[in-house]
Structure formats: structure tokens, C-alpha cells
């Protein structure tokens, strides 16, 4: 038996195969995320798509001097690195000396910026404040961590990929 398939049917079949292959390829590509997980259970609280070189920050009020403190992180080679800390006043736990290679500059508003820190911070823990908010800025979005995670929430930050 000789079956003849028209050129139009072949073209449609080819298009369907290309679409299917594209969908499969995009579904099998890893998606990279900044993830926030509850420390004890490991339950996922939130995730934000991020790529190599993207930055995010966490801002909070210093518990003693009550001024803002901002930690700035960057995704480097699939890991989280702290790159800068921005603060306005010294206080308990605030860096007072530079480590080798670090820099100190001042913003127009008088903030001290310790830069070039470049320390790996995977599995980073934040204990969300009970009195003052912790604010996550990621992908241009500002997220109130106290509202998201609850007061005294123990939140682990990681950079993960998932296959979908």
C-alpha cells in the first residue's frame, strides 16, 4: 500500500514538531530563583527569579542606633555574595574597620558604603524583626519580610534552580 502525504500536511506536521520541541526545551531549562525558606521546616515561603549578576538587598533598622542598614547581595557563579553594606551610624555589630580589599565611600546623603566585600553567603539566615521591618528589594520589588514571614520568622535565603 502506497500512502501519499501532501506537502501541506507535512508542513503542518513539521510546525507542530517545532512547537513541541520548543515547549519541551523551555520546560526543561532550569529556572533560577532566590528562595526564602522557613529555617526549621524548609518550607518555601517565596521565590524570585534571578540570574547571574542580579542583585538584591535587605534593609532593616539597627536595633541600637535605630538608623537604616542595607546589605546588598549579588548572584555570582550560582552563589549569593554580600557585596556592600550601607549604614548611617556606628553601633553594636556594625563594621568599624575595613578588611583587606574593602572600600569605604560616602553617598550624597552621608551614608557610609563598605564595598568590595565579596563574601559568600549561601544558606543565609535572617531573623525578621519584631519591632522594625526587614525590607527585601528584589527585581525592583520591595517586599516587607515581616508581613511575608511573620515576626521573629527565621528565614533562609538561597539561590536555587528548578527544572520545570
Amino acid at each position: 500500500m502506497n500512502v501519499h502525504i501532501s506537502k501541506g500536511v507535512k508542513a503542518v506536521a513539521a510546525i507542530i514538531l517545532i512547537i513541541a520541541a520548543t515547549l519541551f526545551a523551555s520546560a526543561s531549562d532550569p529556572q533560577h530563583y532566590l528562595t526564602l525558606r522557613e529555617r526549621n521546616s524548609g518550607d518555601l515561603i517565596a521565590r524570585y527569579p534571578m540570574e547571574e549578576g542580579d542583585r538584591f538587598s535587605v534593609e532593616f533598622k539597627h536595633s541600637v542606633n535605630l538608623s537604616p542598614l542595607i546589605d546588598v547581595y549579588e548572584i555570582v557563579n550560582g552563589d549569593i555574595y554580600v557585596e556592600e553594606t550601607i549604614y548611617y551610624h556606628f553601633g553594636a555589630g556594625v563594621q568599624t574597620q575595613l578588611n583587606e580589599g574593602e572600600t569605604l565611600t560616602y553617598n550624597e546623603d552621608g551614608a557610609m558604603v563598605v564595598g568590595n566585600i565579596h563574601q559568600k553567603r549561601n544558606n543565609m539566615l535572617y531573623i525578621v524583626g519584631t519591632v522594625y521591618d526587614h525590607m527585601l528589594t528584589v527585581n525592583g520589588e520591595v517586599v516587607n519580610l515581616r508581613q511575608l514571614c511573620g515576626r521573629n520568622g527565621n528565614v533562609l535565603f538561597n539561590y536555587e534552580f528548578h527544572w520545570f
Side-chain angles (χ1 to χ4, degrees):
M1 178 155 95
N2 206 359
V3 177
H4 176 69
I5 301 174
S6 73
K7 289 182 182 179
V9 172
K10 287 180 183 179
V12 169
I15 291 170
I16 290 171
L17 284 174
I18 290 170
I19 291 170
T22 302
L23 289 174
F24 177 76
S26 66
S28 63
D29 284 342
Q31 301 295 310
H32 294 85
Y33 296 94
L34 172 67
T35 59
L36 282 61
R37 294 185 179 275
E38 201 284 324
R39 176 185 181 192
N40 297 318
S41 69
D43 290 344
L44 182 67
I45 298 169
R47 68 179 180 194
Y48 304 92
M50 295 197 76
E51 297 297 329
E52 187 71 22
D54 285 351
R55 286 187 166 206
F56 68 95
S57 65
V58 177
E59 179 177 352
F60 54 94
K61 270 191 181 176
H62 190 278
S63 61
V64 176
N65 66 34
L66 304 179
S67 65
L69 193 142
I70 304 167
D71 291 322
V72 180
Y73 302 91
E74 184 174 342
I75 304 301
V76 179
N77 296 323
D79 293 306
I80 298 172
Y81 280 81
V82 62
E83 294 296 342
E84 316 182 316
T85 296
I86 304 165
Y87 53 96
Y88 292 84
H89 301 285
F90 292 107
V94 174
Q95 185 171 351
T96 58
Q97 294 182 344
L98 296 177
N99 295 311
E100 185 176 335
E102 293 178 346
T103 59
L104 174 64
T105 58
Y106 294 88
N107 282 347
E108 292 174 5
D109 65 356
M112 295 172 271
V113 181
V114 175
N116 202 37
I117 299 172
H118 199 66
Q119 293 179 7
K120 192 185 289 189
R121 290 289 190 252
N122 294 332
N123 214 32
M124 175 178 52
L125 174 66
Y126 271 97
I127 300 173
V128 178
T130 56
V131 177
Y132 302 109
D133 292 332
H134 280 70
M135 305 303 285
L136 168 67
T137 301
V138 59
N139 299 330
E141 178 184 358
V142 178
V143 178
N144 183 313
L145 292 179
R146 189 167 53 164
Q147 290 176 356
L148 181 67
C149 308
R151 293 172 186 232
N152 277 337
N154 290 289
V155 183
L156 290 175
F157 285 66
N158 276 297
Y159 185 63
E160 302 176 10
F161 69 90
H162 297 275
W163 292 90
F164 293 97

